[in-house]
Amino acid sequence: ALTGKLAARVDVAESLALRGALSTGFRAPSLNQAWFNNVSTQYVIDPGTNELIPAQVLTSNNQDPVTRAFGVPKLAEEKSMNLSGGLIWRPTESWSVTGDLYWIGIRDRIVLTSRFSDGDPSIGADVASILAPFQDYGIGQAQFFANAVDTRTLGVDLVANWATSWRGGLLSLTTSVNLTSTEVTDINVPVSMAEKFSSGSLEDVKAVLFNREERNRLETALPRTSGHLGVDYSRNRFRLGLGANYFGKVLYRPTNPANDEDFGGKVLLDVDLGWQLRDGLRLEAGANNLLNTFPDRHRKAANLGSGNFPYSRRVTQFGMNGGFYFLRLAFDLSG
């Protein structure tokens, strides 16, 4: 693959500079994407009852005859185009501000496809015939890694830093905001797959290859908005760090729109205290997610799975482990 990058920076004033870059890139398939094999029990929505039920799902590697039987070709590299531009501003010795806009286009992005099911009315008969040798194991669905989609990402990064001397120590403030939006611009149905499942329309095959829920994973399963505000103060042997992290809302969009749910934005607080006991020995205490904040819970019965899944398994903001509190003694043996 031939790639290139063009970057420039222009100082328009003593305290202001502009920068920009244009580049192309590629990423070869990873070992996991090419060779992963697995039979897993996944909880999926039964279209008849709208309830979560266990299903045996086969994930076959890219070289497997089963993968070829479904019309999935050999994995190719992903190709990308990246465009960015921004500014660096230092209005005073204490302040620095950066802002960047970026656009990233990825072609032939490797993703895990949706599940091909023998119960799908549009292509189920063909799926059942391919998976017939696995019926004794209860396997009625299959999925694969494939160069299935093209995506476009737009984003903004803003970062500001301020530092000053205060009461004999150093006080610093950091704040940042990120806005990011990823969109699936095209679903790439391989010719071999379209021919294999010709009993259904091309749109039916697209819906199976990369369905509504898989699109959700790329577009709205992670926060499009996030922010950070941090304060740090150090004096002699003492240090205190406080941080607030904002994670914007996420959307859950499963195959059945009746089960759609939104989960609101949250703020997590962190604290970190440090005391230098002597040279090479430091005592630290603190907390990540000090207030033990959790994401919103599922509200719809179909997503709860009889109460087994109070928090979403498909979309995430910051996990569901709650607060983490620590006390540690750090040794520096380098001296």
Side-chain angles (χ1 to χ4, degrees), residues 53-163:
I53 60 171
Q56 294 295 96
V57 181
L58 168 68
T59 303
S60 61
N61 74 57
N62 189 246
Q63 303 297 321
D64 196 288
V66 174
T67 305
R68 292 291 176 268
F70 275 89
V72 179
K74 182 179 179 181
L75 289 177
E77 71 275 11
E78 299 174 341
K79 299 176 182 177
S80 65
M81 174 76 74
N82 304 268
L83 177 64
S84 65
L87 60 84
I88 307 165
W89 183 38
R90 293 191 63 89
T92 69
E93 286 295 322
S94 299
W95 277 98
S96 69
V97 179
T98 63
D100 291 281
L101 304 172
Y102 54 89
W103 177 95
I104 305 169
I106 303 178
R107 288 182 292 135
D108 299 326
R109 186 165 176 168
I110 300 173
V111 294
L112 188 62
T113 69
S114 307
R115 297 174 299 274
F116 289 75
S117 172
D118 58 10
D120 191 313
S122 61
I123 60 172
D126 293 315
V127 173
S129 64
I130 299 173
L131 296 180
F134 305 96
Q135 286 181 350
D136 289 344
Y137 304 98
I139 297 173
Q141 302 187 31
Q143 58 186 170
F144 320 91
F145 284 99
N147 298 95
V149 297
D150 299 339
T151 63
R152 177 178 61 218
T153 299
L154 299 172
V156 179
D157 275 327
L158 300 173
V159 181
N161 295 285
W162 174 75

Side-chain angles (χ1 to χ4, degrees), residues 198-250:
S198 57
S199 58
S201 69
L202 185 60
E203 293 303 315
D204 288 337
V205 178
K206 278 188 177 182
V208 175
L209 178 64
F210 202 74
N211 65 23
R212 189 174 187 263
E213 186 168 348
E214 302 306 325
R215 180 187 286 266
N216 174 220
R217 288 179 195 267
L218 287 182
E219 294 184 338
T220 51
L222 296 175
R224 290 188 169 186
T225 305
S226 61
H228 170 76
L229 177 62
V231 180
D232 191 274
Y233 179 70
S234 59
R235 178 181 177 182
N236 299 327
R237 294 178 177 271
F238 171 77
R239 176 188 170 275
L240 169 64
L242 301 172
N245 301 288
Y246 171 73
F247 299 90
K249 74 174 184 178
V250 293

Side-chain angles (χ1 to χ4, degrees), residues 180 213-226 246-253 261-266 268 289 293-298 310-322:
T180 302
E213 186 168 348
E214 302 306 325
R215 180 187 286 266
N216 174 220
R217 288 179 195 267
L218 287 182
E219 294 184 338
T220 51
L222 296 175
R224 290 188 169 186
T225 305
S226 61
Y246 171 73
F247 299 90
K249 74 174 184 178
V250 293
L251 313 179
Y252 177 44
R253 298 295 182 261
E261 291 196 66
D262 296 353
F263 305 103
K266 302 286 183 179
L268 273 59
N289 191 359
T293 302
F294 285 83
D296 290 341
R297 289 172 172 257
H298 278 303
Y311 301 103
S312 177
R313 304 164 296 129
R314 305 298 190 188
V315 303
T316 182
Q317 294 159 292
F318 48 85
M320 58 188 78
N321 293 322

Side-chain angles (χ1 to χ4, degrees), residues 6-22 84-90 97-101:
L6 177 64
R9 173 187 163 122
V10 179
D11 293 323
V12 297
E14 185 176 350
S15 61
L16 180 64
L18 302 179
R19 61 189 178 188
L22 172 66
S84 65
L87 60 84
I88 307 165
W89 183 38
R90 293 191 63 89
V97 179
T98 63
D100 291 281
L101 304 172

